Amino acid sequence: MQSNATIGRAIRLALINIGGAIPRIGDMATFGSPAKYTYCVAENEAESPWEPLHVERGFAREATTVTVFAAEGPHNINDHESTTAVGILKMVAGTMAITGANDVYYEAQPLVVFGPEHAATVARDGYAKADVRRFLFEHARLPLGNFSQENIDRRFRVEFAERFANANLDALVPVVQRAEDIAIIVLGGAGKHSAYIPTFGGTRSVTRALKRADGEIARSIGEFRAGSTR
């Protein structure tokens, strides 16, 4: 008879291996990540000054949806001092501007999570989500010289030759390829924290609506408890 520990390990491996990995072998990444199987959150739509992600993506507001990102763990953004949208967004952009994340090398779709207090300040100063994306795209950049020479020669000067083939080391590298590639949600409760969530790289998030067995869109958790969803 298998021990509880063995059963628990088997469950974890099954969850990690969903989506094309090799059964019974385990996580084939260099390190692996708990974000691959224990990472689920709900938008705080009630305190968001902007429309929720699923509405942006064309679903009815009352629809219940699930969005899946191939995500890293969240990078905390602690900002208890900024009192303006520009101040908060500069802190977010600074957190995004890192050399080691996969997104800088690919057409990726990272997620920016605003705590309700930060979101309220940003929106109060007149920033819609599109404005936030543009600001972050323009400011979440870092000099080419911050990367190793090998990465400059073998990646940027080759894969992004139109921009960096002959660029000097002061040329700025954007964290994402387009402003619209930045996904934004509002999450959590009180406290002046936000988060940046890079992804595994060349992936796109997917949003799907949950439906009842009769094909109608589910509008509440109660419908799931009744066992009428699919």
Short mmCIF file of all heavy atoms in Angstrom, two decimals, residues 92-157:
data_model
loop_
_atom_site.label_atom_id
_atom_site.label_comp_id
_atom_site.label_asym_id
_atom_site.label_seq_id
_atom_site.Cartn_x
_atom_site.Cartn_y
_atom_site.Cartn_z
N VAL A 92 6.99 50.26 -10.60
CA VAL A 92 6.62 49.04 -11.31
C VAL A 92 7.58 48.80 -12.47
O VAL A 92 8.09 47.69 -12.67
CB VAL A 92 5.16 49.12 -11.81
CG1 VAL A 92 4.82 47.89 -12.66
CG2 VAL A 92 4.19 49.24 -10.64
N ALA A 93 7.83 49.85 -13.25
CA ALA A 93 8.73 49.71 -14.40
C ALA A 93 10.13 49.29 -13.97
O ALA A 93 10.78 48.48 -14.63
CB ALA A 93 8.78 51.03 -15.18
N GLY A 94 10.59 49.84 -12.84
CA GLY A 94 11.91 49.47 -12.34
C GLY A 94 11.99 48.01 -11.95
O GLY A 94 13.03 47.35 -12.15
N THR A 95 10.91 47.47 -11.41
CA THR A 95 10.88 46.06 -11.05
C THR A 95 10.86 45.17 -12.29
O THR A 95 11.46 44.10 -12.33
CB THR A 95 9.64 45.75 -10.19
OG1 THR A 95 9.65 46.61 -9.04
CG2 THR A 95 9.62 44.30 -9.73
N MET A 96 10.19 45.63 -13.34
CA MET A 96 10.10 44.87 -14.58
C MET A 96 11.43 44.82 -15.32
O MET A 96 11.69 43.86 -16.07
CB MET A 96 9.03 45.48 -15.49
CG MET A 96 7.62 45.39 -14.95
SD MET A 96 6.42 46.31 -15.97
CE MET A 96 6.44 45.34 -17.49
N ALA A 97 12.26 45.82 -15.16
CA ALA A 97 13.49 45.96 -15.96
C ALA A 97 14.61 45.09 -15.39
O ALA A 97 15.51 45.57 -14.69
CB ALA A 97 13.90 47.42 -16.02
N ILE A 98 14.56 43.81 -15.67
CA ILE A 98 15.56 42.86 -15.20
C ILE A 98 16.10 42.06 -16.39
O ILE A 98 15.41 41.86 -17.38
CB ILE A 98 14.98 41.90 -14.13
CG1 ILE A 98 13.71 41.22 -14.65
CG2 ILE A 98 14.69 42.66 -12.85
CD1 ILE A 98 13.10 40.23 -13.70
N THR A 99 17.34 41.60 -16.27
CA THR A 99 17.99 40.93 -17.40
C THR A 99 17.67 39.44 -17.49
O THR A 99 17.72 38.86 -18.56
CB THR A 99 19.51 41.08 -17.31
OG1 THR A 99 19.97 40.51 -16.07
CG2 THR A 99 19.92 42.54 -17.37
N GLY A 100 17.37 38.81 -16.37
CA GLY A 100 17.31 37.35 -16.37
C GLY A 100 15.99 36.73 -16.73
O GLY A 100 15.92 35.52 -16.96
N ALA A 101 14.91 37.51 -16.79
CA ALA A 101 13.60 36.94 -17.09
C ALA A 101 13.51 36.56 -18.57
O ALA A 101 14.11 37.20 -19.43
CB ALA A 101 12.50 37.94 -16.73
N ASN A 102 12.72 35.56 -18.86
CA ASN A 102 12.60 35.07 -20.24
C ASN A 102 11.95 36.08 -21.18
O ASN A 102 12.23 36.10 -22.38
CB ASN A 102 11.77 33.78 -20.27
CG ASN A 102 12.50 32.60 -19.65
OD1 ASN A 102 13.70 32.63 -19.46
ND2 ASN A 102 11.76 31.57 -19.31
N ASP A 103 11.04 36.89 -20.65
CA ASP A 103 10.20 37.72 -21.51
C ASP A 103 10.98 38.69 -22.39
O ASP A 103 10.53 39.03 -23.49
CB ASP A 103 9.20 38.51 -20.65
CG ASP A 103 8.17 37.60 -20.02
OD1 ASP A 103 8.01 36.46 -20.48
OD2 ASP A 103 7.51 38.04 -19.05
N VAL A 104 12.11 39.14 -21.93
CA VAL A 104 12.88 40.13 -22.69
C VAL A 104 13.40 39.55 -24.00
O VAL A 104 13.67 40.29 -24.95
CB VAL A 104 14.05 40.68 -21.83
CG1 VAL A 104 15.17 39.66 -21.68
CG2 VAL A 104 14.58 41.99 -22.40
N TYR A 105 13.47 38.23 -24.10
CA TYR A 105 14.03 37.60 -25.29
C TYR A 105 12.98 37.13 -26.29
O TYR A 105 13.32 36.69 -27.39
CB TYR A 105 14.87 36.38 -24.89
CG TYR A 105 16.00 36.68 -23.95
CD1 TYR A 105 16.02 36.14 -22.67
CD2 TYR A 105 17.05 37.51 -24.33
CE1 TYR A 105 17.07 36.41 -21.79
CE2 TYR A 105 18.09 37.79 -23.47
CZ TYR A 105 18.10 37.23 -22.20
OH TYR A 105 19.13 37.51 -21.34
N TYR A 106 11.71 37.18 -25.92
CA TYR A 106 10.67 36.58 -26.75
C TYR A 106 9.46 37.51 -26.89
O TYR A 106 9.37 38.54 -26.23
CB TYR A 106 10.19 35.26 -26.13
CG TYR A 106 11.27 34.24 -25.93
CD1 TYR A 106 11.85 34.07 -24.66
CD2 TYR A 106 11.73 33.45 -26.97
CE1 TYR A 106 12.85 33.12 -24.46
CE2 TYR A 106 12.72 32.50 -26.78
CZ TYR A 106 13.28 32.35 -25.52
OH TYR A 106 14.26 31.42 -25.33
N GLU A 107 8.52 37.10 -27.74
CA GLU A 107 7.22 37.77 -27.77
C GLU A 107 6.39 37.18 -26.66
O GLU A 107 5.71 36.16 -26.82
CB GLU A 107 6.55 37.59 -29.13
CG GLU A 107 7.23 38.36 -30.25
CD GLU A 107 6.38 38.45 -31.49
OE1 GLU A 107 5.20 38.06 -31.42
OE2 GLU A 107 6.91 38.89 -32.52
N ALA A 108 6.44 37.80 -25.52
CA ALA A 108 5.84 37.25 -24.30
C ALA A 108 4.69 38.13 -23.82
O ALA A 108 4.39 39.17 -24.40
CB ALA A 108 6.91 37.13 -23.22
N GLN A 109 4.06 37.71 -22.75
CA GLN A 109 2.89 38.41 -22.23
C GLN A 109 2.91 38.39 -20.71
O GLN A 109 2.12 37.70 -20.07
CB GLN A 109 1.62 37.74 -22.77
CG GLN A 109 0.36 38.56 -22.62
CD GLN A 109 -0.79 37.87 -23.31
OE1 GLN A 109 -1.00 36.67 -23.18
NE2 GLN A 109 -1.56 38.64 -24.07
N PRO A 110 3.79 39.15 -20.09
CA PRO A 110 3.86 39.16 -18.63
C PRO A 110 2.64 39.83 -18.00
O PRO A 110 1.89 40.55 -18.66
CB PRO A 110 5.14 39.95 -18.35
CG PRO A 110 5.28 40.86 -19.53
CD PRO A 110 4.77 40.07 -20.69
N LEU A 111 2.48 39.59 -16.71
CA LEU A 111 1.33 40.10 -15.98
C LEU A 111 1.78 41.11 -14.93
O LEU A 111 2.71 40.85 -14.17
CB LEU A 111 0.61 38.94 -15.30
CG LEU A 111 -0.61 39.25 -14.46
CD1 LEU A 111 -1.74 39.81 -15.32
CD2 LEU A 111 -1.08 37.98 -13.74
N VAL A 112 1.11 42.27 -14.90
CA VAL A 112 1.33 43.26 -13.85
C VAL A 112 0.11 43.26 -12.95
O VAL A 112 -1.02 43.44 -13.43
CB VAL A 112 1.58 44.66 -14.43
CG1 VAL A 112 1.66 45.70 -13.31
CG2 VAL A 112 2.88 44.67 -15.24
N VAL A 113 0.33 43.04 -11.67
CA VAL A 113 -0.74 42.97 -10.68
C VAL A 113 -0.68 44.22 -9.80
O VAL A 113 0.34 44.47 -9.15
CB VAL A 113 -0.59 41.71 -9.80
CG1 VAL A 113 -1.62 41.71 -8.68
CG2 VAL A 113 -0.70 40.46 -10.65
N PHE A 114 -1.75 44.98 -9.78
CA PHE A 114 -1.83 46.14 -8.90
C PHE A 114 -2.66 45.80 -7.67
O PHE A 114 -3.77 45.23 -7.79
CB PHE A 114 -2.49 47.32 -9.62
CG PHE A 114 -1.61 47.99 -10.63
CD1 PHE A 114 -1.65 47.60 -11.96
CD2 PHE A 114 -0.74 49.00 -10.25
CE1 PHE A 114 -0.84 48.21 -12.90
CE2 PHE A 114 0.08 49.61 -11.19
CZ PHE A 114 0.03 49.22 -12.51
N GLY A 115 -2.14 46.14 -6.48
CA GLY A 115 -2.98 46.11 -5.31
C GLY A 115 -4.03 47.20 -5.43
O GLY A 115 -3.83 48.19 -6.13
N PRO A 116 -5.19 47.06 -4.76
CA PRO A 116 -6.26 48.05 -4.91
C PRO A 116 -5.84 49.48 -4.60
O PRO A 116 -6.30 50.42 -5.27
CB PRO A 116 -7.32 47.55 -3.92
CG PRO A 116 -7.07 46.09 -3.80
CD PRO A 116 -5.58 45.93 -3.91
N GLU A 117 -4.96 49.68 -3.61
CA GLU A 117 -4.56 51.04 -3.25
C GLU A 117 -3.69 51.67 -4.34
O GLU A 117 -3.88 52.83 -4.70
CB GLU A 117 -3.83 51.03 -1.90
CG GLU A 117 -4.74 50.66 -0.74
CD GLU A 117 -4.01 50.69 0.59
OE1 GLU A 117 -3.39 51.72 0.92
OE2 GLU A 117 -4.05 49.66 1.31
N HIS A 118 -2.76 50.91 -4.86
CA HIS A 118 -1.96 51.42 -5.98
C HIS A 118 -2.83 51.69 -7.20
O HIS A 118 -2.69 52.71 -7.88
CB HIS A 118 -0.86 50.41 -6.34
CG HIS A 118 0.29 50.44 -5.41
ND1 HIS A 118 1.29 49.48 -5.43
CD2 HIS A 118 0.66 51.30 -4.42
CE1 HIS A 118 2.20 49.74 -4.51
NE2 HIS A 118 1.83 50.84 -3.88
N ALA A 119 -3.74 50.76 -7.50
CA ALA A 119 -4.62 50.94 -8.66
C ALA A 119 -5.47 52.20 -8.52
O ALA A 119 -5.66 52.95 -9.49
CB ALA A 119 -5.51 49.71 -8.83
N ALA A 120 -5.98 52.45 -7.32
CA ALA A 120 -6.81 53.63 -7.10
C ALA A 120 -6.03 54.91 -7.34
O ALA A 120 -6.55 55.87 -7.94
CB ALA A 120 -7.38 53.60 -5.68
N THR A 121 -4.78 54.95 -6.89
CA THR A 121 -3.95 56.14 -7.10
C THR A 121 -3.66 56.35 -8.58
O THR A 121 -3.74 57.47 -9.09
CB THR A 121 -2.62 56.00 -6.32
OG1 THR A 121 -2.92 55.89 -4.92
CG2 THR A 121 -1.73 57.21 -6.54
N VAL A 122 -3.32 55.28 -9.27
CA VAL A 122 -3.00 55.38 -10.70
C VAL A 122 -4.23 55.85 -11.48
O VAL A 122 -4.14 56.74 -12.33
CB VAL A 122 -2.48 54.03 -11.23
CG1 VAL A 122 -2.32 54.07 -12.75
CG2 VAL A 122 -1.14 53.68 -10.57
N ALA A 123 -5.38 55.27 -11.19
CA ALA A 123 -6.61 55.64 -11.90
C ALA A 123 -7.05 57.06 -11.54
O ALA A 123 -7.56 57.80 -12.39
CB ALA A 123 -7.72 54.65 -11.58
N ARG A 124 -6.86 57.47 -10.30
CA ARG A 124 -7.23 58.82 -9.87
C ARG A 124 -6.52 59.89 -10.70
O ARG A 124 -7.07 60.96 -10.98
CB ARG A 124 -6.88 59.00 -8.39
CG ARG A 124 -7.23 60.35 -7.78
CD ARG A 124 -6.38 60.63 -6.58
NE ARG A 124 -4.97 60.77 -6.94
CZ ARG A 124 -3.96 60.62 -6.08
NH1 ARG A 124 -4.18 60.28 -4.83
NH2 ARG A 124 -2.71 60.78 -6.50
N ASP A 125 -5.30 59.58 -11.12
CA ASP A 125 -4.53 60.53 -11.93
C ASP A 125 -4.85 60.41 -13.42
O ASP A 125 -4.14 60.98 -14.26
CB ASP A 125 -3.03 60.32 -11.70
CG ASP A 125 -2.58 60.88 -10.35
OD1 ASP A 125 -3.43 61.44 -9.62
OD2 ASP A 125 -1.38 60.76 -10.03
N GLY A 126 -5.90 59.69 -13.73
CA GLY A 126 -6.39 59.67 -15.12
C GLY A 126 -5.83 58.58 -16.01
O GLY A 126 -6.02 58.62 -17.22
N TYR A 127 -5.16 57.58 -15.43
CA TYR A 127 -4.55 56.52 -16.24
C TYR A 127 -5.52 55.36 -16.43
O TYR A 127 -5.90 54.69 -15.47
CB TYR A 127 -3.27 56.00 -15.57
CG TYR A 127 -2.07 56.89 -15.76
CD1 TYR A 127 -1.96 58.11 -15.08
CD2 TYR A 127 -1.02 56.51 -16.60
CE1 TYR A 127 -0.86 58.93 -15.25
CE2 TYR A 127 0.09 57.31 -16.76
CZ TYR A 127 0.16 58.53 -16.09
OH TYR A 127 1.26 59.33 -16.26
N ALA A 128 -5.92 55.13 -17.67
CA ALA A 128 -6.63 53.91 -18.02
C ALA A 128 -5.61 52.78 -18.20
O ALA A 128 -4.39 53.03 -18.21
CB ALA A 128 -7.43 54.11 -19.31
N LYS A 129 -6.09 51.56 -18.38
CA LYS A 129 -5.16 50.45 -18.57
C LYS A 129 -4.25 50.68 -19.77
O LYS A 129 -3.05 50.36 -19.73
CB LYS A 129 -5.92 49.13 -18.74
CG LYS A 129 -6.32 48.46 -17.44
CD LYS A 129 -6.83 47.05 -17.72
CE LYS A 129 -7.17 46.33 -16.44
NZ LYS A 129 -7.65 44.94 -16.70
N ALA A 130 -4.78 51.21 -20.85
CA ALA A 130 -3.96 51.45 -22.04
C ALA A 130 -2.85 52.44 -21.74
O ALA A 130 -1.72 52.30 -22.24
CB ALA A 130 -4.84 51.96 -23.19
N ASP A 131 -3.14 53.44 -20.91
CA ASP A 131 -2.11 54.42 -20.53
C ASP A 131 -1.03 53.77 -19.68
O ASP A 131 0.16 54.06 -19.83
CB ASP A 131 -2.75 55.58 -19.75
CG ASP A 131 -3.85 56.27 -20.51
OD1 ASP A 131 -3.65 56.56 -21.71
OD2 ASP A 131 -4.92 56.53 -19.92
N VAL A 132 -1.45 52.89 -18.78
CA VAL A 132 -0.49 52.17 -17.94
C VAL A 132 0.43 51.32 -18.81
O VAL A 132 1.65 51.31 -18.61
CB VAL A 132 -1.24 51.30 -16.91
CG1 VAL A 132 -0.25 50.41 -16.14
CG2 VAL A 132 -2.02 52.18 -15.94
N ARG A 133 -0.15 50.62 -19.76
CA ARG A 133 0.67 49.78 -20.64
C ARG A 133 1.71 50.61 -21.39
O ARG A 133 2.87 50.21 -21.52
CB ARG A 133 -0.22 49.03 -21.63
CG ARG A 133 -1.07 47.95 -21.01
CD ARG A 133 -1.77 47.13 -22.09
NE ARG A 133 -2.60 46.11 -21.49
CZ ARG A 133 -3.90 46.22 -21.27
NH1 ARG A 133 -4.53 47.34 -21.64
NH2 ARG A 133 -4.58 45.26 -20.71
N ARG A 134 1.27 51.74 -21.93
CA ARG A 134 2.20 52.59 -22.68
C ARG A 134 3.33 53.09 -21.79
O ARG A 134 4.50 53.09 -22.19
CB ARG A 134 1.45 53.77 -23.32
CG ARG A 134 0.67 53.40 -24.57
CD ARG A 134 0.21 54.63 -25.32
NE ARG A 134 -0.76 55.40 -24.56
CZ ARG A 134 -2.08 55.21 -24.62
NH1 ARG A 134 -2.57 54.27 -25.40
NH2 ARG A 134 -2.90 55.95 -23.90
N PHE A 135 2.98 53.53 -20.58
CA PHE A 135 4.00 54.03 -19.66
C PHE A 135 5.01 52.92 -19.36
O PHE A 135 6.23 53.15 -19.41
CB PHE A 135 3.35 54.52 -18.37
CG PHE A 135 4.32 55.16 -17.41
CD1 PHE A 135 4.39 56.55 -17.29
CD2 PHE A 135 5.19 54.40 -16.62
CE1 PHE A 135 5.28 57.15 -16.41
CE2 PHE A 135 6.08 54.99 -15.75
CZ PHE A 135 6.13 56.37 -15.65
N LEU A 136 4.51 51.75 -19.03
CA LEU A 136 5.42 50.66 -18.66
C LEU A 136 6.26 50.21 -19.84
O LEU A 136 7.45 49.89 -19.69
CB LEU A 136 4.62 49.49 -18.09
CG LEU A 136 3.88 49.78 -16.77
CD1 LEU A 136 3.08 48.58 -16.32
CD2 LEU A 136 4.85 50.22 -15.68
N PHE A 137 5.67 50.18 -21.03
CA PHE A 137 6.44 49.81 -22.22
C PHE A 137 7.58 50.79 -22.47
O PHE A 137 8.70 50.40 -22.81
CB PHE A 137 5.52 49.75 -23.43
CG PHE A 137 6.23 49.46 -24.72
CD1 PHE A 137 6.82 48.23 -24.95
CD2 PHE A 137 6.31 50.42 -25.72
CE1 PHE A 137 7.48 47.95 -26.14
CE2 PHE A 137 6.96 50.16 -26.91
CZ PHE A 137 7.55 48.92 -27.12
N GLU A 138 7.30 52.06 -22.26
CA GLU A 138 8.31 53.10 -22.52
C GLU A 138 9.37 53.17 -21.43
O GLU A 138 10.52 53.55 -21.70
CB GLU A 138 7.62 54.46 -22.66
CG GLU A 138 6.75 54.56 -23.91
CD GLU A 138 5.83 55.77 -23.90
OE1 GLU A 138 5.90 56.55 -22.91
OE2 GLU A 138 5.05 55.93 -24.85
N HIS A 139 9.02 52.82 -20.20
CA HIS A 139 9.95 53.00 -19.08
C HIS A 139 10.57 51.71 -18.55
O HIS A 139 11.61 51.77 -17.88
CB HIS A 139 9.25 53.73 -17.93
CG HIS A 139 8.92 55.15 -18.24
ND1 HIS A 139 7.79 55.52 -18.95
CD2 HIS A 139 9.58 56.30 -17.96
CE1 HIS A 139 7.76 56.84 -19.08
NE2 HIS A 139 8.83 57.33 -18.51
N ALA A 140 9.93 50.56 -18.80
CA ALA A 140 10.51 49.29 -18.35
C ALA A 140 11.54 48.83 -19.37
O ALA A 140 11.31 47.90 -20.15
CB ALA A 140 9.42 48.25 -18.15
N ARG A 141 12.65 49.51 -19.39
CA ARG A 141 13.74 49.24 -20.33
C ARG A 141 15.07 49.29 -19.59
O ARG A 141 15.17 49.92 -18.54
CB ARG A 141 13.73 50.25 -21.48
CG ARG A 141 12.42 50.26 -22.25
CD ARG A 141 12.43 51.22 -23.41
NE ARG A 141 11.16 51.15 -24.15
CZ ARG A 141 11.05 51.22 -25.46
NH1 ARG A 141 12.14 51.37 -26.21
NH2 ARG A 141 9.87 51.13 -26.04
N LEU A 142 16.06 48.66 -20.16
CA LEU A 142 17.38 48.70 -19.54
C LEU A 142 18.43 48.73 -20.63
O LEU A 142 18.20 48.25 -21.75
CB LEU A 142 17.59 47.53 -18.60
CG LEU A 142 17.52 46.10 -19.11
CD1 LEU A 142 18.10 45.17 -18.05
CD2 LEU A 142 16.10 45.67 -19.40
N PRO A 143 19.59 49.32 -20.34
CA PRO A 143 20.62 49.46 -21.37
C PRO A 143 21.11 48.10 -21.88
O PRO A 143 21.23 47.15 -21.11
CB PRO A 143 21.74 50.20 -20.64
CG PRO A 143 21.08 50.89 -19.50
CD PRO A 143 19.96 49.98 -19.08
N LEU A 144 21.39 48.05 -23.17
CA LEU A 144 21.92 46.85 -23.77
C LEU A 144 23.17 46.38 -23.02
O LEU A 144 23.40 45.18 -22.86
CB LEU A 144 22.23 47.11 -25.25
CG LEU A 144 22.69 45.94 -26.10
CD1 LEU A 144 21.61 44.86 -26.18
CD2 LEU A 144 23.08 46.43 -27.50
N GLY A 145 23.96 47.32 -22.55
CA GLY A 145 25.19 46.99 -21.84
C GLY A 145 24.99 46.28 -20.52
O GLY A 145 25.94 45.78 -19.94
N ASN A 146 23.74 46.24 -20.01
CA ASN A 146 23.48 45.49 -18.77
C ASN A 146 23.52 43.98 -18.99
O ASN A 146 23.63 43.22 -18.03
CB ASN A 146 22.11 45.87 -18.20
CG ASN A 146 22.13 47.20 -17.47
OD1 ASN A 146 22.95 48.07 -17.77
ND2 ASN A 146 21.22 47.38 -16.54
N PHE A 147 23.42 43.57 -20.25
CA PHE A 147 23.46 42.15 -20.57
C PHE A 147 24.91 41.73 -20.81
O PHE A 147 25.76 42.55 -21.14
CB PHE A 147 22.61 41.85 -21.81
CG PHE A 147 21.16 42.10 -21.62
CD1 PHE A 147 20.62 43.36 -21.83
CD2 PHE A 147 20.30 41.08 -21.22
CE1 PHE A 147 19.27 43.61 -21.65
CE2 PHE A 147 18.94 41.31 -21.04
CZ PHE A 147 18.42 42.58 -21.25
N SER A 148 25.17 40.45 -20.67
CA SER A 148 26.52 39.95 -20.95
C SER A 148 26.84 40.12 -22.42
O SER A 148 25.95 40.17 -23.27
CB SER A 148 26.63 38.47 -20.57
OG SER A 148 25.90 37.67 -21.49
N GLN A 149 28.12 40.20 -22.73
CA GLN A 149 28.53 40.37 -24.12
C GLN A 149 28.05 39.21 -24.98
O GLN A 149 27.67 39.39 -26.14
CB GLN A 149 30.06 40.50 -24.22
CG GLN A 149 30.54 40.95 -25.59
CD GLN A 149 30.01 42.33 -25.96
OE1 GLN A 149 30.12 43.28 -25.19
NE2 GLN A 149 29.41 42.45 -27.15
N GLU A 150 28.04 38.01 -24.39
CA GLU A 150 27.58 36.84 -25.14
C GLU A 150 26.10 36.97 -25.51
O GLU A 150 25.69 36.63 -26.61
CB GLU A 150 27.82 35.56 -24.33
CG GLU A 150 29.29 35.22 -24.14
CD GLU A 150 29.89 35.89 -22.90
OE1 GLU A 150 29.28 36.83 -22.35
OE2 GLU A 150 30.97 35.46 -22.47
N ASN A 151 25.29 37.44 -24.57
CA ASN A 151 23.87 37.63 -24.87
C ASN A 151 23.67 38.73 -25.91
O ASN A 151 22.80 38.63 -26.78
CB ASN A 151 23.09 37.95 -23.59
CG ASN A 151 22.63 36.70 -22.88
OD1 ASN A 151 21.69 36.04 -23.31
ND2 ASN A 151 23.30 36.37 -21.78
N ILE A 152 24.47 39.76 -25.82
CA ILE A 152 24.38 40.84 -26.80
C ILE A 152 24.70 40.30 -28.19
O ILE A 152 23.95 40.52 -29.16
CB ILE A 152 25.32 41.99 -26.44
CG1 ILE A 152 24.87 42.66 -25.14
CG2 ILE A 152 25.40 43.01 -27.58
CD1 ILE A 152 25.87 43.66 -24.58
N ASP A 153 25.81 39.57 -28.31
CA ASP A 153 26.25 39.09 -29.63
C ASP A 153 25.40 37.96 -30.17
O ASP A 153 25.13 37.90 -31.39
CB ASP A 153 27.71 38.62 -29.53
CG ASP A 153 28.68 39.77 -29.27
OD1 ASP A 153 28.30 40.93 -29.54
OD2 ASP A 153 29.79 39.50 -28.77
N ARG A 154 24.96 37.06 -29.30
CA ARG A 154 24.29 35.85 -29.77
C ARG A 154 22.77 35.95 -29.79
O ARG A 154 22.11 35.16 -30.47
CB ARG A 154 24.73 34.66 -28.91
CG ARG A 154 26.23 34.37 -29.02
CD ARG A 154 26.69 33.36 -28.00
NE ARG A 154 26.04 32.06 -28.19
CZ ARG A 154 26.26 31.02 -27.40
NH1 ARG A 154 27.10 31.13 -26.37
NH2 ARG A 154 25.64 29.88 -27.62
N ARG A 155 22.23 36.91 -29.05
CA ARG A 155 20.78 37.06 -29.03
C ARG A 155 20.34 38.38 -29.67
O ARG A 155 19.71 38.40 -30.72
CB ARG A 155 20.24 36.98 -27.60
CG ARG A 155 20.11 35.57 -27.05
CD ARG A 155 19.39 35.57 -25.73
NE ARG A 155 19.26 34.24 -25.16
CZ ARG A 155 18.19 33.46 -25.31
NH1 ARG A 155 17.18 33.88 -26.04
NH2 ARG A 155 18.13 32.27 -24.73
N PHE A 156 20.70 39.47 -29.03
CA PHE A 156 20.15 40.76 -29.46
C PHE A 156 20.62 41.17 -30.85
O PHE A 156 19.83 41.65 -31.67
CB PHE A 156 20.48 41.85 -28.44
CG PHE A 156 19.74 41.67 -27.14
CD1 PHE A 156 20.39 41.17 -26.03
CD2 PHE A 156 18.39 41.96 -27.05
CE1 PHE A 156 19.71 40.98 -24.84
CE2 PHE A 156 17.70 41.79 -25.87
CZ PHE A 156 18.36 41.29 -24.75
N ARG A 157 21.88 40.98 -31.15
CA ARG A 157 22.38 41.40 -32.46
C ARG A 157 21.95 40.45 -33.57
O ARG A 157 22.03 40.79 -34.75
CB ARG A 157 23.90 41.54 -32.43
CG ARG A 157 24.40 42.59 -31.44
CD ARG A 157 25.73 43.16 -31.87
NE ARG A 157 26.37 43.99 -30.85
CZ ARG A 157 26.03 45.24 -30.57
NH1 ARG A 157 25.03 45.82 -31.22
NH2 ARG A 157 26.68 45.92 -29.64
#
